[in-house]
Structure formats: structure tokens, C-alpha cells
Amino acid sequence: QYKGELKPGYYDRGGFVSLSRELEAASMDPEGGSAIPASEIPSNPHTPAIESRKMLWISGTLTGVFSLVAGGLTFVLLFFRQKIIGSIQDSGTPLNRWALIIPGILNGILITVLDGVWKNISLKLTDAENHRSSQAYNDSLAYKRFAFQCFSNYTSLFYIAFVRPFLNDGGFSECGHGWVSFDDHPDCLGELEIQLTTLLLTRITISQVMEALLPILQHSVKVVFAQRSLRRNRETSATLSRYSAEMKLPAYHLTTEDFGEVVLLLGYLALFGAAFPLTPLFMLINNLIEVRSDAYKILLGHRRIDADQANEIGAWYYIIEIIGYAAVPINAGLLIFTSNSLSLMFNGITFQDKILAFFCIENILVLFKLLIRALIPDESAETLKKASRQRFYIAKFFKVNEKASYRAHPMLKSNDALYNQVRDVIDDCEELSEGESSEIQLHTEINQATSRPSDDDGMEETYLSAGS
């Protein structure tokens, strides 16, 4: 709920439009001589812009601080990754065969815990920002969630991909062998592949359990306690009705969690998919499961949704665009710096040559992406026509947003007999199935109806053109 001091005015694209002067003029002339009566001046809650900006700065600062803390904890875990692996391998326990993936599993559990904590904090911060519209509220929450998740989920992968290859001479063990390396050219793609795989599997498994099973378990516990309470009060056997049981379900308020999970997994695929070629297969299997688990969660794990229509996905569109552009230099860096693919193809290549190759490949890929975006429209011509037809029907049936192009031609309107004759032809043709034959018949009959003998050839052409 938007909170603020009630002031005369209304909101438009430019912000709050104050009507204080109009209200003052109406109050000084209570007999109704002013242009706008006081009873017709709207009032809406209003918060000064400086207070809103102040809260936005505080919220943004806290988001940055918590994101850096999450990234720092992940970096500490990665800094001792080799020691953790070595201690597990030297322990002689059955876990030594899983030593390479245990740090990734620990990192996945740490990410899940931090995301749960930040989820509650970001909700409190967004509530305190006092947004006027639900779209602004959802956009602000989306930016906070994804900014934090970028640091908590992608820090380890960035470290292994772009920092770890340059630490081989600083007391760290050398990187292993990736899927494009040989014995004399080790790289860090192997470690990146293991880290990416364990993070994905851990993230997918925990998220599915938390989303689908946890609400059902919570609901079952609430129903059991409610039935016990009924039995104690009535001292007889009592069963909770279906409607009372459904009221115990949690409410489904926001789509931010579902959008965030999908976009986060898209980031794994787009940014680091080159490190593990089977990543798209994992994403496909997860999405197939996600469709059914989300349906199960919404239909059985929550109350009935109070649907709210939206014309777009809001801030998530811009986040996906950022991921798309960031994927180009990151994947180019993976192939040039993280792996030794160029060293395998060109012997004696220097670091300066790699930098030059990186900028060339990155710019070529960005230009190719922009070219594809320009050549392939977001909406086809057929889709645009169907949307225009829907707007036409809405304007005609509900008398809203009617354009001049929706009205009949003035020349036809001036001649009632000809106008009615053309309308009869159009009504008859609308009953036919859509296709080329109906189009031809429509134009033929309209031309026959409008082509009548006339002494004025110019007027005949005008009627014919208007009818067509």
C-alpha cells in the first residue's frame, strides 16, 4: 500500500501534478464561480521526491554491501578449495572419491542459505521504498534479487575462469586438464566444469525441494494441528473442511521467485556454458520438470491466485538483455584465456596476441548479435495485424481509443444509400471463411456496388476508391 500525505492532484507520466492552486481558487469562491469546483478536484497520497530518493540510496547501498559479503564468503571458500580437497583425500574415508565435488556442493548450500536470508531482507527494503505501483515494486525487487544472486552464484565461476589461471605460480597447484587441453597444455576448464556441474545440480535439487515439497509439508502440518484443535474444542471427531484446509495454504503473491530462478539458470548457461557442453541438456531436463513442479506448486501448494494482468515482464527483460551482452565477452574469454585452445592451434602465441584476438572475436560477435536483432523482428507482421484487429474490435465495441482510421470514409458517409449498400456487402462477406476467395469476392462486390454511371468521372473514381 502506497503511503503519503493526501494532497490535491493526480499522477501522470511526468509524476505528480499538483492542483493546490485550483483548490485554493475554488475555496475562495464557494458559490461555484471558479473554473473547477472543489468537489471535482482529485486528491491522492503523495510523498516528496527527496524522501523516495533517500530510501532508494539506502536500499541500493545495503544491496551492494550484502552482495559483496556474499561474494567474499564464496571467495574464502574457493581460496581454501585445494586445502579442503587435499584434507578429504588424505583422510582415507569413503568421501575421498568425491573430494573434487564436495567444495562445489558446499558452495551450493552456502548460496541457498544466503539467498534465503536476502529474500526476506530485500522484501523489507522494497516495502520501505514505498512504491506507488505494483510494477515499480516488482522491478525494484527484481533488481535487488538478481544483483545479490549474481555475486553469490557467479563469483566462484568467475574466480576459477579468470583468476585461477594466473595463480599457478603463487603457491597454488596447477590447473588440471579440461576438455580442450592436452598433457603439455593444462588449463582450468576442468575445474570450471566440475564447479559448474556441482553448482547446477545442487541448485536445481534444493530449489525443487524448497519450491514444491516444502509448501506441501507446511500445509500438511497446519491441517493436522487445526484438526487437533477442532477435536479438543468439540471433544468429538472432527474433520477440517476442504475450504478451511485451502485457507491454511500460503498465498502466492509475486512471480519474482519463479522469474529469478529461470533467469539465474539462463545466466549459468549463457555465461559459462562453454565450459561444460552438457549444460544445455541439464537446462532442458530442469525446464521440463520445472513446468510441472510450478503447476503443482501453484495449484496445490498455494491459495487460488488473484490474477493481475501485465503487458510485459518488467525489469527481467533488461536483466536478460544484460546477460545476453555479457555472455559475448565472457565466452570469448573462456575460449582464449581460460582454455589453451589458441595455444593448441597456434604455437608460440603471446599474451598480447591473445588480447588482440579477444577484442576481435568479442567485437565480431557483438556486431553479429546486433545484426540478427535488426534483421529478425520481435513481432511478425501477422502478429501485428492480429493485435491491430483486436484493438479495432475493442474500440468499436467499447467505444474507447477510437482512431480516425477506424471510421468509415466521409465520401461514403455522405451518401447514405451507397454506404448502406457497401455495408451490406461487407456483412455478407464476413460470414464466409477467411481466405483468398472471400477477399476476391469482397473486392468484386464492393467495386460492383460503387461503380455506377455518373456524369462526373472524378466523383465516380472517388466513390470507387473509397469503396475499395
Side-chain angles (χ1 to χ4, degrees), residues 135 138-139 142 255 259 263 310-318 320:
Q135 185 65 52
N138 293 332
D139 289 347
T255 59
F259 266 116
V263 174
N311 295 326
E312 56 185 15
I313 61 176
W316 294 112
Y317 172 80
Y318 302 102
I320 293 173

Side-chain angles (χ1 to χ4, degrees), residues 247-313:
M247 281 301 298
K248 299 295 181 181
L249 292 171
Y252 186 88
H253 294 294
L254 299 172
T255 59
T256 307
E257 293 298 322
D258 295 329
F259 266 116
E261 182 181 355
V262 174
V263 174
L264 188 67
L265 294 178
L266 173 66
Y268 279 117
L269 173 61
L271 300 178
F272 303 99
F276 185 45
L278 291 180
T279 303
L281 179 61
F282 284 172
M283 296 292 102
L284 176 61
I285 296 174
N286 173 75
N287 290 340
L288 293 176
I289 299 174
E290 186 77 19
V291 172
R292 306 314 307 168
S293 64
D294 283 348
Y296 181 79
K297 174 186 69 175
I298 293 174
L299 295 176
L300 299 179
H302 292 81
R303 300 177 202 165
R304 182 175 297 180
I305 297 177
D306 185 11
D308 187 13
Q309 293 183 352
N311 295 326
E312 56 185 15
I313 61 176

Side-chain angles (χ1 to χ4, degrees), residues 58 82 129 132 275-276 289 297 309 318 325 443:
I58 295 175
Q82 296 299 326
E129 290 172 0
R132 191 176 62 88
F276 185 45
I289 299 174
K297 174 186 69 175
Q309 293 183 352
Y318 302 102
Y325 282 102
H443 286 285

Side-chain angles (χ1 to χ4, degrees), residues 180 185-187 335-345 354:
V180 293
H185 292 285
D187 56 35
L335 295 176
I336 295 174
F337 298 110
T338 308
S339 71
N340 288 318
S341 54
L342 288 183
S343 300
L344 297 175
M345 293 186 293
K354 290 184 177 181

Side-chain angles (χ1 to χ4, degrees), residues 300-369:
L300 299 179
H302 292 81
R303 300 177 202 165
R304 182 175 297 180
I305 297 177
D306 185 11
D308 187 13
Q309 293 183 352
N311 295 326
E312 56 185 15
I313 61 176
W316 294 112
Y317 172 80
Y318 302 102
I319 293 174
I320 293 173
E321 283 287 305
I322 293 173
I323 291 177
Y325 282 102
V328 175
I330 290 176
N331 281 277
L334 288 177
L335 295 176
I336 295 174
F337 298 110
T338 308
S339 71
N340 288 318
S341 54
L342 288 183
S343 300
L344 297 175
M345 293 186 293
F346 305 101
N347 291 326
I349 188 172
T350 61
F351 186 74
Q352 289 76 11
D353 296 333
K354 290 184 177 181
I355 294 178
L356 179 61
F358 169 78
F359 281 105
C360 291
I361 294 175
E362 185 263 342
N363 284 295
I364 291 173
L365 291 178
V366 169
L367 291 176
F368 185 68
K369 173 180 171 61

Side-chain angles (χ1 to χ4, degrees), residues 108-393:
I109 296 174
L110 176 64
I111 289 172
T112 304
V113 173
L114 293 177
D115 286 350
V117 174
W118 178 246
K119 174 183 176 180
N120 297 324
I121 296 176
S122 60
L123 280 174
K124 298 295 183 182
L125 291 175
T126 310
D127 290 339
E129 290 172 0
N130 194 25
H131 293 282
R132 191 176 62 88
S133 64
S134 59
Q135 185 65 52
Y137 181 92
N138 293 332
D139 289 347
S140 178
L141 184 61
Y143 286 128
K144 293 186 188 67
R145 292 280 177 84
F146 190 76
F148 179 82
Q149 288 176 341
C150 275
F151 280 88
S152 62
N153 287 268
Y154 301 147
T155 299
S156 60
L157 302 176
F158 272 104
Y159 169 80
I160 296 175
F162 302 113
V163 179
R164 180 81 170 86
F166 303 98
L167 298 179
N168 291 334
D169 298 330
F172 293 83
S173 60
E174 290 188 355
C175 291
H177 295 83
W179 57 275
V180 293
S181 60
F182 295 96
D183 292 338
D184 54 344
H185 292 285
D187 56 35
C188 290
L189 274 184
E191 291 187 17
L192 184 61
E193 175 184 343
I194 295 173
Q195 184 73 8
L196 177 62
T197 306
T198 53
L199 278 180
L200 276 178
L201 295 179
T202 305
R203 176 83 188 186
I204 291 173
T205 303
I206 295 179
S207 64
Q208 293 294 342
V209 172
M210 296 292 290
E211 284 188 3
L213 297 182
L214 187 60
I216 302 299
L217 293 177
Q218 292 176 345
H219 172 246
S220 301
V221 172
K222 289 182 180 180
V223 170
V224 169
F225 279 102
Q227 289 178 347
R228 290 183 177 179
S229 177
L230 286 175
R231 292 191 184 99
R232 284 196 303 267
N233 294 334
R234 299 179 181 178
E235 296 181 355
T236 58
S237 61
T239 302
L240 201 64
S241 66
R242 169 192 170 187
Y243 307 105
S244 299
E246 288 181 355
M247 281 301 298
K248 299 295 181 181
L249 292 171
Y252 186 88
H253 294 294
L254 299 172
T255 59
T256 307
E257 293 298 322
D258 295 329
F259 266 116
E261 182 181 355
V262 174
V263 174
L264 188 67
L265 294 178
L266 173 66
Y268 279 117
L269 173 61
L271 300 178
F272 303 99
F276 185 45
L278 291 180
T279 303
L281 179 61
F282 284 172
M283 296 292 102
L284 176 61
I285 296 174
N286 173 75
N287 290 340
L288 293 176
I289 299 174
E290 186 77 19
V291 172
R292 306 314 307 168
S293 64
D294 283 348
Y296 181 79
K297 174 186 69 175
I298 293 174
L299 295 176
L300 299 179
H302 292 81
R303 300 177 202 165
R304 182 175 297 180
I305 297 177
D306 185 11
D308 187 13
Q309 293 183 352
N311 295 326
E312 56 185 15
I313 61 176
W316 294 112
Y317 172 80
Y318 302 102
I319 293 174
I320 293 173
E321 283 287 305
I322 293 173
I323 291 177
Y325 282 102
V328 175
I330 290 176
N331 281 277
L334 288 177
L335 295 176
I336 295 174
F337 298 110
T338 308
S339 71
N340 288 318
S341 54
L342 288 183
S343 300
L344 297 175
M345 293 186 293
F346 305 101
N347 291 326
I349 188 172
T350 61
F351 186 74
Q352 289 76 11
D353 296 333
K354 290 184 177 181
I355 294 178
L356 179 61
F358 169 78
F359 281 105
C360 291
I361 294 175
E362 185 263 342
N363 284 295
I364 291 173
L365 291 178
V366 169
L367 291 176
F368 185 68
K369 173 180 171 61
L370 295 176
L371 179 63
I372 293 178
R373 182 176 182 177
L375 294 178
I376 302 177
D378 294 336
E379 296 176 318
S380 64
E382 188 65 25
T383 303
L384 293 175
K385 289 180 181 179
K386 289 182 179 180
S388 178
R389 183 182 295 273
Q390 290 179 355
R391 290 192 295 270
F392 174 78
Y393 287 152

